[in-house]
Amino acid sequence: MQRLICIMLWCACLLLTGPTLSGAAYFDGMEAYRLGDYKTALREFKASDDDVKSLYMLGVMFEKGHGVKIDFTEAAAWYHKAADKDSAPAQYRLGRLYERGQGVEQNLNEAIKLYKKSSRQGNQDAKLALKRIETP
């Protein structure tokens, strides 16, 4: 019985530390990113690629060419993963890529759809993009 309790406690500890480890990797990635250590940032963000903020930051790195060659297709893939997890900034940036046809086939309807999702979450850039597009 005592062994069963120990196993259950151990499993509970593993479950509780999982998100913390992912969060720590994101935090370490952001520290490295701010310092311009893009190699470390890329490694840390990829280590926590289930974290929506890490997915978003991977998209930013590929869109801007920070530590990697600019690759809009790769940026769109990372933004898409984050947007699917309801990241308003990722929805906005993915919408921009659709609007411009960078890394994805240009599709204004898809851009508007993403801008609206992001806007509903309060993203001001998305609201401005919608206003710009929808104003004749």
Side-chain angles (χ1 to χ4, degrees):
M1 181 67 169
Q2 190 175 25
R3 184 177 180 165
L4 179 61
I5 292 171
C6 286
I7 291 171
M8 289 174 56
L9 286 172
W10 183 77
C11 289
C13 287
L14 284 177
L15 289 173
L16 292 174
T17 58
T20 303
L21 294 175
S22 177
Y26 168 75
F27 179 79
D28 291 343
M30 284 307 299
E31 282 293 308
Y33 186 83
R34 286 186 191 106
L35 295 172
D37 182 359
Y38 299 129
K39 183 179 178 181
T40 299
L42 187 68
R43 183 184 68 241
E44 294 298 329
F45 292 142
K46 284 187 174 182
S48 62
D49 75 350
D50 62 323
D51 176 73
V52 68
K53 292 182 280 186
S54 293
L55 297 170
Y56 170 76
M57 286 306 300
L58 286 164
V60 169
M61 291 183 76
F62 280 97
E63 182 181 8
K64 295 182 181 244
H66 290 170
V68 294
K69 183 179 176 193
I70 290 175
D71 186 339
F72 293 115
T73 303
E74 187 75 14
W78 289 110
Y79 286 148
H80 201 295
K81 288 179 181 186
D84 285 348
K85 293 183 176 208
D86 289 325
S87 167
Q91 291 164 344
Y92 166 71
R93 286 194 181 248
L94 184 57
R96 279 189 346 174
L97 295 180
Y98 272 106
E99 182 180 357
R100 298 173 180 170
Q102 294 176 308
V104 292
E105 189 171 326
Q106 189 172 18
N107 184 333
L108 194 56
N109 290 330
E110 187 65 22
I112 290 170
K113 184 175 102 176
L114 287 160
Y115 288 153
K116 284 182 179 179
K117 282 183 177 182
S118 182
S119 179
R120 282 192 293 270
Q121 295 184 64
N123 186 294
Q124 294 301 314
D125 292 327
K127 289 178 182 182
L128 291 172
L130 281 171
K131 189 175 186 178
R132 177 179 45 79
I133 290 173
E134 293 175 340
T135 301

